[in-house]
Amino acid sequence: MPDRPQPRFPEPNTQKYWEAVKEGRLTYQQCADCNTVVFTPRILCTGCGSSNLAWKDSSGEGKVYTYTVVRQNRNPSFAPLGAYVLAWIDLDEGFRMLSNVVGVNDPTTDVKCDMRVKVEFEKQDSGEYPIPVFRPV
Amino acid sequence: MANQMREAAIVGIHEYPLRVAPGRSAMQIKVESIKAALDDAGLKWSDIDAVYDTNDGEGGGGLGMAPYLGLKPTVIDTTQVGGSSYEFQTAHALRDIAAGKANVAVLTYGSTAASSRRAIGTGGATGQGLPNWQGNMEDPYGMITVGNYALVAHRHMHEYGTTTEDLAEISVATRLHATRNPEAVKAMTDLQFMGTGEITIQDVLESRMISDPLHLLECCMQSDGGGAVIIASRDVARGTKKKPAWIIGTGEAIKYRENGGDITTSAAAQGGPIAFAEAQVTPAEIDIAMIYDSFTITVATILEDLGFCKKGEYRDLAKGGRFRFDTALKPTLNTDGGGLSSNHPGMRGIFLLFESVRQLRGESTSQVAGAKLAIAHGNGGALGGTHAGGSVILAAD
Ligand SMILES: [Zn+2]
């Protein structure tokens, strides 16, 4: 199993997000006052400053906004991955998250901007929290 | 308005000559540099009444720096926005001097990044420190410094058809300038570059891929270094040793990841126009562009954002050897050899000011004849995520 760094707590902004991940749900926030989609999790709306935020479940589907292939990371936690695809993913609900694209034969050629992807929750040797990553659909 | 009023100027500079300086501390590099910059200006220790610091020495920011120097300044500023700190501090010094709060400001930098093997350039990683809202969302994915910039490069290529060949024009011109600068040649030698001569576009393409699509020869070096800048009021500047470089426009902005945002546009798109409006000049008039070259894509993006061409048209701007000091096309780029081939101890912004001033004085090793206008644009933080952009437009006396 991969051995990625785990989220660390106490961290009150992101705790609820990670508890949902543990249940196999990818969540984001949306302002109940102005509908702005908020990500990463926090306690105010970045559109209007309201604290009236609702947690929502994402479909986990979206597309690759941009990506790179990291050939070497000096952090040994990433050594088991080999060359890996680091990407910004635009989810269909309108939020953008950093993640990895997995499940391609050759990471240097098989990923493109705007490629459709779907989330999966990758179990980790490093701890109890699986990590949301994306696979081409 | 601080535009053509010419209320303050850079009157003294010093670039610390060594890029590998074992046995010295950052604070010592800073102090040696202040002495040399004061000498360059013909000013004395007791003339300093404003201290700007990035907290890069052994701590304390302005609160640590002034006591070490034994000064009691009337202005203390500890603005820390990464590599663009010195452009922000120049903007602040101009305002403080124009407001009558100070007459002689000092900005300093000292770093032992190479000797202490701090991770920057191709070596940077994330994921240290206390648990925090950003780290918890990003650390599991293995972001590295060069990867952040590579994200910008891929989207730029996807949207506008930019190629590695286009980006390599920056590496090639910058290396040409480095070969003419003895301190840059010594830097590349001391840092054990595989070659210290001119390079070709093919060399860039064939260099090792670090984080797709960025190659080794598109990445900055990791050096020791530092320096100091003296900024003085109009009255003081009239009596200094060398020709003042007048600060005629400044702009400051930040940018960060936003849902649906455009990663190919940097903070320069917000701050640049403010600087040009204040200076009452246009990008087409700029002779020298000193642009923070952490990586090639940083320069390409910023040149577009500052208005040297439209967004997405960098590939056309790069044609014809425009960036070389020995062609008639403007702007000439990074004539000291840049962070790619001369000096990058982590926060390069101060070196952009040095070389701008040298050009306006006629002192560059790759001098552009009759250079009258220069822009120094620093980029701090990481281009593909949260970063700061500071522009300083300078005019010859
Ligand atoms: Zn709102």
Coordinates of all heavy atoms in Angstrom, one line a residue, chain A residues 30-36 38 44-50 52-53, ligand 1:
Chain A
Q30 N -20.4 25.0 0.6 CA -21.0 26.0 -0.3 C -21.8 27.0 0.6 O -22.4 26.7 1.6 CB -22.0 25.3 -1.2 CG -22.6 26.3 -2.3 CD -23.3 25.6 -3.4 OE1 -23.6 24.4 -3.3 NE2 -23.4 26.3 -4.5
C31 N -21.7 28.3 0.3 CA -22.3 29.4 1.1 C -23.8 29.3 0.9 O -24.3 29.4 -0.2 CB -21.7 30.7 0.6 SG -22.4 32.1 1.5
A32 N -24.5 29.3 2.0 CA -25.9 29.3 2.0 C -26.5 30.7 1.7 O -27.7 30.8 1.3 CB -26.5 28.8 3.4
D33 N -25.7 31.7 1.8 CA -26.1 33.1 1.5 C -25.9 33.5 0.0 O -26.8 34.1 -0.6 CB -25.4 34.1 2.4 CG -25.8 33.9 3.9 OD1 -27.0 33.5 4.1 OD2 -25.0 34.1 4.8
C34 N -24.7 33.1 -0.5 CA -24.4 33.6 -1.9 C -24.1 32.5 -2.9 O -23.7 32.8 -4.0 CB -23.3 34.7 -1.9 SG -21.7 34.0 -1.7
N35 N -24.1 31.2 -2.4 CA -23.9 30.1 -3.3 C -22.4 29.9 -3.7 O -22.1 29.0 -4.5 CB -24.8 30.1 -4.5 CG -26.2 29.8 -4.2 OD1 -26.5 29.1 -3.2 ND2 -27.1 30.5 -4.9
T36 N -21.5 30.7 -3.2 CA -20.1 30.5 -3.6 C -19.6 29.1 -3.1 O -19.9 28.7 -2.0 CB -19.2 31.6 -3.0 OG1 -19.6 32.8 -3.6 CG2 -17.7 31.3 -3.2
V38 N -16.8 26.8 -1.7 CA -15.6 27.1 -1.0 C -14.8 25.9 -0.8 O -15.3 24.8 -0.4 CB -16.0 27.6 0.5 CG1 -14.8 27.9 1.3 CG2 -16.8 28.9 0.3
L44 N -15.2 30.7 6.6 CA -15.9 31.8 6.0 C -16.0 31.6 4.5 O -15.2 30.9 3.9 CB -15.2 33.2 6.3 CG -14.1 33.6 5.4 CD1 -13.8 35.1 5.7 CD2 -12.9 32.8 5.5
C45 N -17.0 32.3 4.0 CA -17.2 32.2 2.5 C -16.3 33.2 1.9 O -16.2 34.4 2.3 CB -18.7 32.6 2.2 SG -18.9 32.9 0.5
T46 N -15.5 32.7 0.9 CA -14.6 33.6 0.2 C -15.3 34.5 -0.8 O -14.6 35.4 -1.3 CB -13.5 32.7 -0.6 OG1 -14.2 31.7 -1.3 CG2 -12.6 32.0 0.4
G47 N -16.6 34.3 -1.0 CA -17.3 35.2 -1.9 C -17.9 36.4 -1.1 O -17.9 37.6 -1.6
C48 N -18.4 36.2 0.1 CA -19.1 37.3 0.8 C -18.7 37.4 2.3 O -19.2 38.3 2.9 CB -20.6 37.1 0.7 SG -21.3 35.7 1.7
G49 N -17.9 36.5 2.8 CA -17.5 36.6 4.2 C -18.4 36.0 5.2 O -18.2 36.0 6.4
S50 N -19.5 35.4 4.7 CA -20.5 34.8 5.6 C -19.9 33.5 6.2 O -19.0 32.9 5.7 CB -21.7 34.4 4.7 OG -22.6 33.5 5.5
N52 N -22.0 31.2 7.1 CA -23.2 30.3 6.9 C -22.8 29.3 5.8 O -23.4 29.4 4.7 CB -24.4 31.1 6.5 CG -25.7 30.4 6.7 OD1 -25.7 29.2 7.2 ND2 -26.8 31.0 6.3
L53 N -22.0 28.3 6.1 CA -21.5 27.4 5.1 C -22.1 26.0 5.3 O -22.2 25.5 6.4 CB -20.0 27.2 5.1 CG -19.2 28.5 4.8 CD1 -17.7 28.2 5.0 CD2 -19.4 28.9 3.4
Ligands
ZN1 ZN -21.1 33.8 0.5

